[in-house]
Amino acid sequence: MAKYIVLTNKDTFQTILENDGLETVESYQFYFFDKLKSTYTIAKVLDDNAKIQLYENYEGKEYVNHIRVKFFETFENIEDAREELYEIVKASGNSDDSKHSKLVKAEGVPAN
């Protein structure tokens, strides 16, 4: 049975997507007040033993971590992964701010 995960990339926090254990399915860009705040990628897990490389630049220091897929929340299908992504974005601001945020499929097609 396939599993899917949602990965995040921000200015200071990067998930390395080039990984033999993952297959990128689709990516979305989250904008707030027309400024790109983050990119979310839904990936299919090809290898349960894969490790995902996370890179963080925080207060002038660089950190690199390799985290096993088993520590990420997984979803049984792409629709469940998309629903989680929409919940993440919805929770990122209050209702007054939501009119200033948008989620756009990386190819330029607005997400539902």
Side-chain angles (χ1 to χ4, degrees):
M1 176 168 66
K3 289 193 277 187
Y4 297 86
I5 59 176
V6 177
L7 302 170
T8 306
N9 281 301
K10 297 181 180 183
D11 284 344
T12 59
F13 182 88
Q14 298 293 311
T15 304
I16 307 305
L17 300 175
E18 294 79 31
N19 187 320
D20 291 339
L22 302 176
E23 176 186 321
T24 298
V25 177
E26 56 193 25
S27 293
Y28 294 84
Q29 295 172 321
F30 175 67
Y31 291 88
F32 189 65
F33 285 95
D34 294 326
K35 182 179 180 196
L36 178 62
K37 293 304 235 175
S38 56
T39 300
Y40 296 97
T41 300
I42 297 174
K44 182 177 182 180
V45 177
L46 304 175
D47 179 359
D48 286 334
N49 295 315
K51 290 184 179 180
I52 297 172
Q53 183 176 338
L54 304 173
Y55 168 82
E56 185 174 8
N57 186 341
Y58 183 73
E59 295 183 352
K61 294 184 180 179
E62 295 181 358
Y63 302 91
V64 178
N65 291 299
H66 298 272
I67 301 174
R68 290 190 182 276
V69 168
K70 71 179 184 178
F71 293 108
F72 286 79
E73 183 175 5
T74 58
F75 305 92
E76 291 183 15
N77 55 58
I78 188 110
E79 292 79 16
D80 289 348
R82 285 183 190 130
E83 184 61 34
E84 176 67 12
L85 175 58
Y86 299 143
E87 290 298 318
I88 291 169
V89 170
K90 192 161 80 172
S92 66
N94 63 43
S95 59
D96 290 337
D97 291 337
S98 65
K99 64 185 172 205
H100 301 289
S101 63
K102 64 183 175 182
L103 186 66
V104 178
K105 203 166 186 184
E107 295 82 14
V109 179
N112 297 344

